[in-house]
Amino acid sequence: MEEGKLVNDKGIRVDGRRVDELRPIKLEAGVLNRADGSAYIEWGKNKVLAAVYGPREAHPRHRQDPARALVQCRYNMAPFSVSDRKRPGPDRRSVEISKVISEAFSHVVLREQFPRATVDVFMEVLQASAGTRCTALTVAAVALADAGIPMRDIISSCAFGKADGQVILDLDKAEDNEGQADVPIAIVPRTNEIVLLQMDGHITKEEFDSGLKMAVDACHRINEMQRDALRRRYSVTADTHEAVKAISEGV
Amino acid sequence: MEEGKLVNDKGIRVDGRRVDELRPIKLEAGVLNRADGSAYIEWGKNKVLAAVYGPREAHPRHRQDPARALVQCRYNMAPFSVSDRKRPGPDRRSVEISKVISEAFSHVVLREQFPRATVDVFMEVLQASAGTRCTALTVAAVALADAGIPMRDIISSCAFGKADGQVILDLDKAEDNEGQADVPIAIVPRTNEIVLLQMDGHITKEEFDSGLKMAVDACHRINEMQRDALRRRYSVTADTHEAVKAISEGV
Amino acid sequence: MEEGKLVNDKGIRVDGRRVDELRPIKLEAGVLNRADGSAYIEWGKNKVLAAVYGPREAHPRHRQDPARALVQCRYNMAPFSVSDRKRPGPDRRSVEISKVISEAFSHVVLREQFPRATVDVFMEVLQASAGTRCTALTVAAVALADAGIPMRDIISSCAFGKADGQVILDLDKAEDNEGQADVPIAIVPRTNEIVLLQMDGHITKEEFDSGLKMAVDACHRINEMQRDALRRRYSVTADTHEAVKAISEGV
Amino acid sequence: MKDVVSELLRDHIYKMAASGKRVDGRAPEEYREIKVRKGYAGNAEGSARVDLGETEVLVGVKMILGEPYPDRPKEGSIVTTMELIPMASPTFEAGPPREKAIELARVVDRGIRESKAIDLGKLCIIEGEKVWIVFIDVHVLDYGGNLFDASSFGALAALTNAVVPASKINGEDYPLEVEHHPISITATKIKDVIVFDASLDEDRVADARLTIATDENGHIRAMQKGLKGSFTLDEVDYVVKTARKLADEIRPKVVG
Amino acid sequence: MKDVVSELLRDHIYKMAASGKRVDGRAPEEYREIKVRKGYAGNAEGSARVDLGETEVLVGVKMILGEPYPDRPKEGSIVTTMELIPMASPTFEAGPPREKAIELARVVDRGIRESKAIDLGKLCIIEGEKVWIVFIDVHVLDYGGNLFDASSFGALAALTNAVVPASKINGEDYPLEVEHHPISITATKIKDVIVFDASLDEDRVADARLTIATDENGHIRAMQKGLKGSFTLDEVDYVVKTARKLADEIRPKVVG
Amino acid sequence: MKDVVSELLRDHIYKMAASGKRVDGRAPEEYREIKVRKGYAGNAEGSARVDLGETEVLVGVKMILGEPYPDRPKEGSIVTTMELIPMASPTFEAGPPREKAIELARVVDRGIRESKAIDLGKLCIIEGEKVWIVFIDVHVLDYGGNLFDASSFGALAALTNAVVPASKINGEDYPLEVEHHPISITATKIKDVIVFDASLDEDRVADARLTIATDENGHIRAMQKGLKGSFTLDEVDYVVKTARKLADEIRPKVVG
């Protein structure tokens, strides 16, 4: 492989992946004691934990929506999750990510069932290595299902991008730093509706179209892993059998 | 003119003004779409926009006055309004200016007519060049009238000061920086009551007396410009005829 | 005395004190006009003023305890109280000290008598020289009594520590800086219950035991000074005779 | 924080839009009048006051001397702030930037930064020591819908108006070079209908928002989907195509 | 934040004042007893504890080594902070400085700064590199009315007590030079009556406030009108004249 | 902020404890299972994930180059932060550190700092210019009682796992030297009964808390009494003795 090349002539990337190949993903549901639902993911070198509390009464009261539940997400990076220590607490980047993830989940949670309530979703990035917002959204979707929050579907997320002029799936850290574009998306797998889409960089319409197709396909593969994690979880706890069924059938 | 002299032997200042002459003033009422009242001023090189919202319910509730409306002013400088970029948001100086302007307007707004309410006055300094508090107060008075807020009078503001040992009206930037004193005042023109008065520097009682007279006179001239701007505004919008009349007659 | 020695062979410290000797203490009750109770202390080179307001309604309302009063203490250092100017406002150290002092007083104030109320205790360190938390707690206890707040007892506070390998009472600044341990305590004198205990440094169990005994004894001596200050205060104001009696008898 | 918007308004706007009409008479892909006044703020290195229909923003560019980031010793930097000052709307509040203002500022910032409109390398004065920091401060004066585009237009226009104050370091002032001209176009979805350049009322009833910035070559430079609704793949395709077309029409008005 | 003051109290105070009397027996232009204890705070470079009737403030001066502002390389600086600590009044709250404390601090600061009481040039140690920064921290211990004057007296007294800690830079400590002695006098207007050195109750029912600082030559150095009332031109004239007279009486008590 | 805990739960826990039993079947001095996974957070210089029964904390150590404090030119420094992130409990809230988190962080910090577990002198690189700053960031993931001990174990374990990134200054990375191994043991008092390693429910009904850190020599290194209750002198004696015993049992599990 040429020096400095991110994708070689055979379409193989530095870490050995093909252009449309995901990094390895490990997902586990039900990992915390206090939360109503929780999940843990390792995606490439990312490690993210998600917890869900609710539906519970929203505070302060003037924030309540009398017709439906709020879905409030908090994406947070641990100070030691990145090479240069990050100051504790929300910065502008994490506020924006929290907002777009909240909006994505608001589309699928059956919010009308819980007026005045809030569903709080906490995502803690414990180790970060490119693509944390997709990783966080994916694990949070499992935590929401684990908490028994009624949803139209389990949403799935993945990024595509461009490096060395090639459209590639699921950028790793070097590809993110040196590539030309990064496009995180999230979809409702059952309908292929797009609920999260961001992009910056430089990409043509044609590249965008082919990358989007690649990422949508990958989201479906990821959705299978999310459902597997929930099945493993529920095979252990038989009393939540109904919930499993509801989710597998996509009520 | 001698080098470094702010006022020459004939009483003429660097920009050609006499000691008792104002910088050019342009005033326009009704310039914004969302606000209940608004006005815009160019005073020398100052550019200030004012907007008024209200009377509306005061929040949080514990700040309400059961007997009368609050008048809450916010003087703010845009980051790019000054040579050295100003950090966004209120600093101690703008908090103080907001306070003294709020107090000045509280004297003339007929606050008893709107218990529990607030009248919010926003002044944005877009370009600053000495005398912004007088400029802001003057344009805000027009915005209050434009919003139809009942007032005993339209207050007017102007500064006097001292440079090269001479008492002068309406200091420009060089005179403010190198002069010996700056005395912003605001008056109720109908009664000559003083509702704003600040000063720092070094001035004798005699200089203060003659400067104060000069500034009070100037406030009356400024008041004429304020009324002109409102007349121009209302000649366009006939449906607010009553309001014009009320203001011109000083109800 | 050897150079650099904090305690010499005869058990005498740099400032001439024996190992179990307190710095000079001056206490005065009722020193402020506005507060419901107040007291002032000079302890070595420390100068601390305490004021008590309440019982009064707790705000915001959601902090109220429907069954008993809150005891809310605020330990604060004036910016000029230390050699290096301290930024105004609470830092992490003063938040912690405020917390442990609040907890100590919560044990003795008869809180059940004032549901939903708060008793606010303010301690201002005007000059600091080692041992300010013990000094502040001791003077605040007098201010609480001066305010007529019903308490099971007047608590007293003192530190012990270790310097030059010797267990010593009431460390001064050099001993605090160069010593091996500092152990502030506070007790309920009538019962010898410990209501405040902190320690850092390096001390053996045996040293701790002997130091604790020393400090408990000292607390009893300090309690006598606290009661003296109150007696002097009440001998002046006869109308609070009942309160004196209540306190001296420890109702 | 919440506009209480009647469902009636929502239905009215939707029904009109569904039949290809809009409340203010525009066609679905029609932008309101755009007026750009450059150089408005005389104490800024560059500025532009942009009217987009009833929306008005003022953007000032200030260039300050500073140190580069340790990991990028040869580059200056860009900082974008957005103040939704309470003057602009009865529902904005003063104070620290809230979610909405942060999203706006970050999207405007990425539009400029990631499109490489400004070559950060050219902002370096002395490697590792001294660089220009470009502050883009967006001041929203009147909020009449579609802040994303109005702010982006303002930022680009102010940059094309900016002069590097090199006289501060004993050089000669020169115009800031703007290498690309990304134009942001925002589609707003109400139920299943899409309109562009939403008015205030359309903004208030919107289900989803998709902002696309494309450059003078028709390349995509930034995207941001917002709000709680979704877009189908076909809708995304339609919005991207339309954004390229509209951007080409609007670019001359902004860049001048 | 709001004292609920009965209209009865207001009427009572006004009626007495209208007949030239005050609740505490003072004449309209009479100050309460002033007690100044300098050097009270041993860890400060200078300090003064000032009693003005029932009002008590403690002011500490700290002198810190720092860098000058880039645009004033030959000058040190002054920073004045005011803490209305909750100890001093049941209605003060802790936390970030609010409007009232900011106005107080800024008026005290201007009184010192603009009167050139301290020559900032003499605070310069190495041009462009090292200067003294003078912190004047005003700590209000007991609030019994007329904080403006008590705080100003305290600031001036603490400065006249201050020693420049030049030993920190291998010099020898020396007294801080105070070049002017501006004395702040505050008039309080209740309806149409004016009194000086308002007591707590007079403060609570005041309609307007006018603070005038004059120096040892009778020159005006600072003014601040406050509150929602107004002053006529004649009243301003009267207050200025009276302030000069009272300042001359009070100055020795403060400067010592 | 307030858990509404039924008096019934309190009585139940107390009655069991008074008869030497605990709700989860443990003996009064018995700790829950301790599981320590070191090196969990790959971007940290050192890290440890600690399970203490149902409580889980993750501690990361980051080492940053910085300047020493002027008064300690030959020493690096330690900064401990504690985030009670809302993930860990329905009653924690995000935002600035509140009292509880501050007390926790400061007690963990003192346990490390005052026991001289890290020799600050060895963190000095160039006297007066460059030192290592050690950040110990405690992230509580699951709150199941006894945060003081879990956090302290995590901090010590993460330090023993840390590598000094000397390659950043052209040296070779080497393990951070940990000179002492203080183990924190917390006693919780419910009415007049004392248990160790409180469960969540025991924490919720606790009257008083006493934390003792002892080192490998049995010497006391840090103490903190908390909550509104009190301890008798005999109880303090008992807790200290028991803490030494339990620390010796637990130390190998933490240090590894």
Side-chain angles (χ1 to χ4, degrees), chain A residues 34-36 53 56 122, chain F residues 3 86-93 143 200:
Chain A
R34 295 308 304 284
D36 297 320
Y53 286 90
R56 57 185 179 183
F122 303 111
Chain F
D3 279 348
M87 161 177 285
S89 161
T91 55
F92 291 167
E93 283 151 40
Y143 172 45
L200 178 59

Side-chain angles (χ1 to χ4, degrees), chain B:
Chain B
M1 197 171 289
E2 277 179 59
E3 207 191 347
K5 265 277 210 177
L6 294 169
V7 186
N8 74 8
D9 300 340
K10 291 169 188 152
I12 301 299
R13 295 144 79 174
V14 173
D15 62 1
R17 284 187 289 156
R18 295 183 310 277
V19 290
D20 62 349
E21 194 176 342
L22 289 165
R23 290 175 285 181
I25 295 176
K26 270 170 54 183
L27 249 172
E28 189 182 354
V31 297
L32 294 174
N33 298 302
R34 296 307 306 283
D36 296 321
S38 60
Y40 174 69
I41 193 168
E42 294 186 3
W43 179 329
K45 287 181 183 161
N46 293 302
K47 295 182 181 179
V48 182
L49 197 54
V52 170
Y53 286 90
R56 56 185 179 183
E57 203 189 351
H59 286 289
R61 218 165 272 183
H62 70 83
R63 296 214 55 193
Q64 292 181 355
D65 181 332
R68 57 189 72 76
L70 303 173
V71 177
Q72 302 189 99
C73 299
R74 180 183 185 258
Y75 164 100
N76 188 48
M77 300 188 95
F80 45 78
S81 64
V82 280
S83 296
D84 291 331
R85 177 173 181 272
K86 191 200 153 289
R87 287 181 57 147
D91 55 11
R92 295 166 64 89
R93 175 179 169 275
S94 63
V95 169
E96 187 198 352
I97 293 178
S98 297
K99 182 174 191 287
V100 294
I101 293 180
S102 296
E103 291 172 342
F105 281 122
S106 293
H107 190 62
V108 290
V109 169
L110 300 177
R111 303 193 292 136
E112 289 71 17
Q113 295 188 10
F114 308 101
R116 302 200 172 281
T118 178
V119 173
D120 294 320
V121 181
F122 303 112
M123 293 154 281
E124 291 291 324
V125 179
L126 306 177
Q127 185 171 305
S129 184
T132 56
R133 86 189 63 188
C134 297
T135 306
L137 193 151
T138 296
V139 69
V142 175
L144 275 160
D146 182 48
I149 304 294
M151 295 187 286
R152 294 194 293 114
D153 200 356
I154 293 168
I155 63 177
S156 307
S157 182
C158 183
F160 68 93
K162 189 174 150 189
D164 282 348
Q166 291 247 25
V167 176
I168 54 175
L169 186 72
D170 186 23
L171 286 66
D172 69 16
K173 205 168 165 188
E175 292 163 347
D176 191 24
N177 287 345
E178 295 160 41
Q180 289 94 53
D182 182 27
V183 193
I185 70 161
I187 67 165
V188 181
R190 237 176 271 290
T191 58
N192 277 355
E193 289 167 282
I194 293 195
V195 287
L196 181 144
L197 171 57
Q198 299 185 287
M199 179 263 176
D200 42 58
H202 188 167
I203 203 167
T204 66
K205 175 78 168 67
E206 294 65 37
E207 290 162 345
F208 174 77
D209 290 344
S210 75
L212 185 59
K213 196 179 164 312
M214 204 184 256
V216 168
D217 286 347
C219 283
H220 285 275
R221 301 204 296 277
I222 290 160
N223 192 251
E224 220 24 76
M225 301 182 213
Q226 291 171 302
R227 288 172 186 278
D228 274 348
L230 286 162
R231 278 184 214 110
R232 284 196 305 277
R233 159 74 161 158
Y234 288 116
S235 67
V236 184
T237 58
D239 57 335
T240 45
H241 184 68
E242 284 307 305
V244 193
K245 223 179 124 200
I247 288 159
S248 332
E249 292 170 5
V251 174

Side-chain angles (χ1 to χ4, degrees), chain F residues 48-85:
Chain F
R49 194 162 169 175
V50 170
D51 289 359
L52 176 61
E54 295 206 326
T55 291
E56 184 170 354
V57 304
L58 175 55
V59 181
V61 168
K62 293 291 297 176
M63 297 188 67
I64 306 290
L65 293 166
E67 283 178 33
Y69 291 113
D71 54 339
R72 312 222 159 190
K74 296 181 186 177
E75 292 185 4
S77 56
I78 295 175
V79 178
T80 303
T81 77
M82 170 81 65
E83 277 204 280
L84 299 181
I85 51 176

